[in-house]
Amino acid sequence: MVSPRRIGRGSRATLLAVLLPVLMGGCVPRYGVSSARDEFLGTSEVRMHGDVLGNPDHGSEWIELNAVVRRRQGEPPAYALQVRYRDSDEWLRIPPGESLIVLADSQRIRLDGFGSRANRRTHFGLGVEEVASYAASADVLRSIARAERVRLRIIGSRDYVEREFTPENRARFRQFVDTQVDGKKVALPAADTAHASWLKRWWRWLRRTNPRSPPQRE
């Protein structure tokens, strides 16, 4: 039976949570939008990256939900949602099937994917990361972007994790859908401010779980 992810796994998890920013690329994930084009195949892709969800009060897991738009000449666009899961020591092992459930206000959206088996890796034996992608539609992305409250559950092989969009997450997702799905021209989000806000919440969680942590630098 699938059960909620355990919280507060002791000093080792806390220590590895401190090391995660170094092990996972040298810093806390920073939100951005990247694009790529293959002129030989006539394809292009635009994707969100680094959009860490909620706050780290749930434990040492970092969860990202990023939207992707892929285009090929002569064909309609293809849309996807990508989940990126990172933890200090425990795999989620996202299986194939309907392993992502999104609650956009009162609308329940179940998404089907191939799981994370082909996209799992360790970082120096101390941190783990897995990625799972889910086919979506423009209407699904719009439903998430327009919702006042967005919650999601990612189902693993033995347990699951849940997150909720913060105001920063909602603003980023809405801006991406407006520009990349609906073609609107809007002001760019204040990525640095949002990044600093997430980092402060991460520090607060770290200090609560490890009182001997060094004080936060403003």
Side-chain angles (χ1 to χ4, degrees), residues 8 12 14 18 40 51 58 107 147 150 159 207:
R12 181 170 180 265
T14 301
V18 177
F40 291 96
D51 192 17
H58 300 277
Q107 182 181 2
V150 178
D159 51 14
R207 294 180 68 185

Side-chain angles (χ1 to χ4, degrees), residues 11 14-15 17-18 202-217:
S11 59
T14 301
L15 174 61
V18 177
W202 182 80
W203 264 108
R204 285 198 294 268
W205 169 81
L206 181 60
R207 294 180 68 185
R208 284 197 299 271
T209 56
N210 183 10
R212 295 184 180 181
S213 297
Q216 179 182 348
R217 295 181 180 179

